Amino acid sequence: MKLGEVLVNQGLISEDMLAQALQEQKTNGEKIGATLIRLGFVSEDEMLNALAKHFGVRSVNLKAKQPSESVLKLVPGDIAAKYMAVPVSRFGRKLTLAMIDPYDVAALEDIKFATGFEIEPVVANFEDIAKIIENHYRVQRVFSDVMLDMDLESAVGEGVDAGKVAVKERKEEDLAYVVEDGESGPALKLASKIISDAVALNVSDVHIEPYEDDMRVRYRIDGILHEIMKPPKRLNRALATVIKVMARLKVEEKRLPQDGRIKVRVHNKIIDIRVSTVPTLFGEKMALRILDRAAIQLNLDLLGFEPETLTALRRAIKTPYGIVLVTGPTGSGKTTTLYSALTELNDPAVNIITAEDPIEYSLTGISQLQVNERIGLTFASALRSYLRQDPNIIMVGEIRDLETAEIAIRASLTGHLVLSTVHTNSAAATVTRLVNMDIEPFLIASTLLAVQSQRLLRKTCTECRETVEYPGEALIDAGLNPKKIDFKLHRGVGCKYCRGTGYKGRIGVFEAMLITAPIREAILKGASNMEIENAAVDNGMVTLRESALRKLRDGVTTLEEVIRETKVE
């Protein structure tokens, strides 16, 4: 019995409604169910319930809650696409399977044989099933195409050479087309798919990692790595060759690390990709940093600063001379903060120059220099040369050695504002780090204006956020007093919008330590990190933990994120 007949028999639509929907379906080519819903004759829930009643099974709404990645992996992609069936949940040896036709015995038997689970069929909307198959299993279809192409190419030559020639035949201005269509060979097709999917998912980094028997591709989404695919190991050389050619790297050099850059148009957006390759035991590992100019917000007001912290930072960067340092782990948004500060300071009356490794984004009106240590152009040498360029503000990508630190201090003492980064865990620890570089405490106290430390917290998904209760012990372990919590805690349960993670996007948490008279005195006395931090808190500094707890109170993030990114005070 067809869907329309099922709905008529159950009294949900009339014969006239069905006839009207069938007539309209002839012109638009839609599925009859989608047409009936669009015309308002029946709701999606009513349709699912009617099918469930007809087949004698349960119905599931895949829009409300999508299956997790771990469950979807239980059914191979080719089988899911063949039978239009996706796993919904697993309990013990029972696998719940969403299908169009729960009476499809061949499908049930094949999936039972492929997975080893007992199958409980349920009915779901066709479009929802198709969308999950497209979003989660499309990689398998790409692999099928890639492997077919490799088989065809075996008659004319090795896949690596075919991929290399295909890319070399393209002109530089055609690289955007290469990434968008990916029709020039199996390796190029896979590289195109990896890059375009990464851009679509707002991925910050892509890791392509070869191992003894296979390789894997991982995406860093909202700061967390997710394994996306495991291509065949024999594609590693071809894939590395394609990416190295696109990044203008030496294809034949496989013994030394290399760094390059790709600039392409993907999904009508200009994307910069930083490429890093390193040789490993089983092949070249590649890391791709995706830099989406359209997605970055170079505005201090939009980064998540607490009002007191933003006021302190602005006070520091508006000072005519001195040093302002930003600290935090790799990937915590330090460059974005510095670029936002430079954007705010950018003015035709001010000469701003930077020394970076690498230059992540081009800033109009600011002179930017790419450090190249292989030819002797280090942060220190660039900074020394910049002092002869009549600058007002200098941004140095990182202070990592005594020479760079000494020149930065000299620049600040001669009337320049210097912005830079240091790798430490907190604002107070930065002072100790500079002392360990053999910088005299009196120079630190006299030139340092402020130190800002930051982290990025994942934001709770607003589409599936719900209130959650935590045991008192968990709150105490996190450094919270259960009796003093006067706000509700939230957690995302997972939905299609956040791809089942419960998180969507990130927001910064910051602490800005202004170097006031008490802190200068503590530095001159050789105070410990804790003593300097206590002095800063007494002076009104909002710590990283307090900033994170404010985000928790506002429902922006979760308790788990606060614990993961900040320490108990």
Side-chain angles (χ1 to χ4, degrees):
M1 187 178 294
K2 295 181 179 180
L3 174 61
E5 296 173 350
V6 171
L7 298 176
V8 170
N9 285 349
Q10 294 193 21
L12 291 175
I13 62 172
S14 65
E15 293 280 1
D16 290 340
M17 290 177 178
L18 178 59
Q20 181 182 340
L22 289 171
Q23 184 64 35
E24 185 155 337
Q25 183 194 26
K26 292 178 182 178
T27 61
N28 58 31
E30 283 182 323
K31 298 288 184 182
I32 186 62
T35 303
L36 288 166
I37 292 173
R38 183 172 52 79
L39 292 173
F41 293 159
V42 65
S43 70
E44 185 173 324
D45 287 340
E46 288 175 332
M47 185 181 297
L48 286 179
N49 290 334
L51 288 171
K53 182 177 180 181
H54 175 73
F55 288 116
V57 297
R58 292 189 297 115
S59 67
V60 294
N61 187 341
L62 295 177
K63 283 190 177 70
K65 186 174 182 180
Q66 287 202 332
S68 65
E69 295 281 354
S70 59
V71 169
L72 287 169
K73 289 179 180 178
L74 298 177
V75 175
D78 55 343
I79 294 179
K82 178 180 179 181
Y83 295 115
M84 291 304 294
V86 295
V88 175
S89 62
R90 171 196 168 189
F91 184 78
R93 300 305 305 165
K94 180 187 289 185
L95 185 66
T96 301
L97 195 71
M99 307 177 67
I100 304 302
D101 180 6
Y103 283 175
D104 189 339
V105 177
L108 295 174
E109 288 299 319
D110 276 5
I111 295 174
K112 179 180 178 180
F113 178 79
T115 63
F117 290 100
E118 294 296 325
I119 305 298
E120 178 195 6
V122 297
V123 69
N125 180 275
F126 175 87
E127 283 75 14
D128 292 344
I129 292 177
K131 188 172 291 186
I132 289 176
I133 290 174
E134 171 63 21
N135 290 339
H136 294 274
Y137 292 117
R138 57 186 169 182
V139 169
Q140 279 79 359
R141 291 204 298 279
V142 173
F143 286 165
S144 298
D145 295 341
V146 168
M147 298 312 296
L148 175 62
D149 287 347
M150 289 192 72
D151 291 340
L152 293 175
E153 287 174 3
S154 63
V156 296
E158 185 182 359
V160 174
D161 295 333
K164 185 182 351 180
V165 171
V167 178
K168 280 192 171 181
E169 289 175 351
R170 300 277 190 175
K171 296 180 181 179
E172 183 175 358
E173 60 269 21
D174 292 330
L175 283 178
Y177 176 75
V178 171
V179 174
E180 285 184 323
D181 69 4
E183 295 176 353
S184 299
L188 185 56
K189 181 179 292 186
L190 183 57
S192 302
K193 192 65 176 173
I194 289 172
I195 292 173
S196 60
D197 281 1
V199 173
L201 294 172
N202 295 319
V203 170
S204 61
D205 299 271
V206 177
H207 293 267
I208 303 170
E209 304 160 317
Y211 296 98
E212 184 173 11
D213 299 317
D214 58 14
M215 69 172 177
R216 69 178 179 182
V217 176
R218 293 190 292 171
Y219 287 170
R220 188 177 294 279
I221 304 174
D222 293 336
I224 304 297
L225 282 171
H226 301 269
E227 184 177 300
I228 300 298
M229 59 180 90
K230 299 189 77 171
K233 175 63 184 295
R234 56 179 171 156
L235 276 179
N236 178 240
R237 286 180 58 204
L239 186 59
T241 296
V242 166
I243 293 175
K244 286 166 73 174
V245 170
M246 293 173 71
R248 304 295 183 263
L249 300 178
K250 296 179 180 178
V251 175
E252 66 279 3
E253 179 56 76
K254 299 179 175 64
R255 300 168 300 168
L256 296 174
Q258 296 188 72
D259 295 298
R261 204 176 191 100
I262 302 172
K263 184 176 181 179
V264 291
R265 182 185 298 275
V266 184
H267 307 312
N268 294 320
K269 295 192 293 185
I270 298 296
I271 303 296
D272 284 321
I273 304 173
R274 272 172 35 200
V275 178
S276 172
T277 72
V278 294
T280 67
L281 181 61
F282 300 111
E284 288 183 278
K285 180 187 184 302
M286 313 196 79
L288 281 61
R289 170 67 59 88
I290 309 294
L291 303 171
D292 184 354
R293 298 183 183 183
I296 190 170
Q297 296 177 317
L298 300 181
N299 187 329
L300 291 175
D301 292 313
L302 302 178
L303 300 183
F305 280 93
E306 304 304 326
E308 309 96 305
T309 306
L310 183 54
T311 299
L313 178 62
R314 279 195 165 125
R315 178 181 167 187
I317 64 174
K318 297 293 175 63
T319 305
Y321 52 87
I323 300 176
V324 177
L325 298 177
V326 177
T327 183
T330 301
S332 61
K334 298 187 297 297
T335 301
T336 300
T337 300
L338 285 175
Y339 278 6
S340 299
L342 290 178
T343 301
E344 189 162 305
L345 295 170
N346 195 4
D347 185 275
V350 177
N351 182 16
I352 303 177
I353 52 181
T354 75
E356 306 172 55
D357 185 21
I359 298 173
E360 295 199 359
Y361 297 98
S362 174
L363 302 176
T364 303
I366 296 175
S367 301
Q368 297 172 268
L369 178 145
Q370 169 70 56
V371 168
N372 188 341
E373 295 190 357
R374 287 177 296 180
I375 61 173
L377 185 56
T378 63
F379 282 123
S381 61
L383 189 52
R384 189 181 295 109
S385 298
Y386 271 175
L387 292 178
R388 296 191 290 271
Q389 291 285 321
D390 185 34
N392 298 104
I393 300 171
I394 302 173
M395 194 271 272
V396 184
E398 182 183 353
I399 293 178
R400 60 177 66 158
D401 54 43
L402 176 61
E403 185 181 10
T404 307
E406 286 179 336
I407 300 172
I409 288 173
R410 190 184 314 147
S412 68
L413 289 172
T414 53
H416 305 88
L417 176 65
V418 180
L419 309 180
S420 189
T421 68
V422 178
H423 281 282
T424 57
N425 291 323
S426 67
T430 303
V431 174
T432 304
R433 173 79 177 107
L434 294 175
V435 171
N436 289 339
M437 287 184 185
D438 291 331
I439 303 295
E440 293 292 341
F442 77 90
L443 289 175
I444 299 172
S446 60
T447 58
L448 196 59
L449 297 173
V451 182
Q452 179 203 286
S453 181
Q454 63 185 67
R455 299 289 188 278
L456 289 176
L457 300 183
R458 290 185 294 171
K459 295 164 63 177
T460 308
C461 176
T462 55
E463 298 294 319
C464 61
R465 187 180 72 170
E466 65 177 21
T467 303
V468 62
E469 296 286 341
Y470 286 91
E473 295 81 3
L475 297 174
I476 293 172
D477 289 343
L480 299 174
N481 186 342
K483 296 180 180 179
K484 292 185 178 181
I485 293 182
D486 55 356
F487 54 90
K488 293 183 178 180
L489 300 174
H490 298 85
R491 180 191 292 160
V493 297
C495 64
K496 65 175 183 179
Y497 181 67
C498 62
R499 296 178 62 84
T501 63
Y503 297 96
K504 184 67 175 179
R506 289 190 290 176
I507 192 168
V509 290
F510 307 88
E511 64 180 18
M513 184 178 75
L514 284 176
I515 309 301
T516 57
I519 296 177
R520 285 195 179 91
E521 186 177 344
I523 294 172
L524 291 172
K525 291 180 177 179
S528 65
N529 293 350
M530 185 62 68
E531 290 171 329
I532 293 174
E533 184 167 309
N534 289 339
V537 171
D538 292 340
N539 199 51
M541 183 182 79
V542 177
T543 63
L544 284 173
R545 170 52 71 100
E546 177 57 30
S547 178
L549 289 176
R550 292 187 187 184
K551 301 292 190 297
L552 181 66
R553 292 189 189 97
D554 294 339
V556 175
T557 190
T558 64
L559 182 63
E560 289 83 358
E561 279 296 287
V562 173
I563 295 171
R564 187 173 70 90
E565 290 292 347
T566 64
K567 68 181 180 67
V568 178
E569 296 166 358

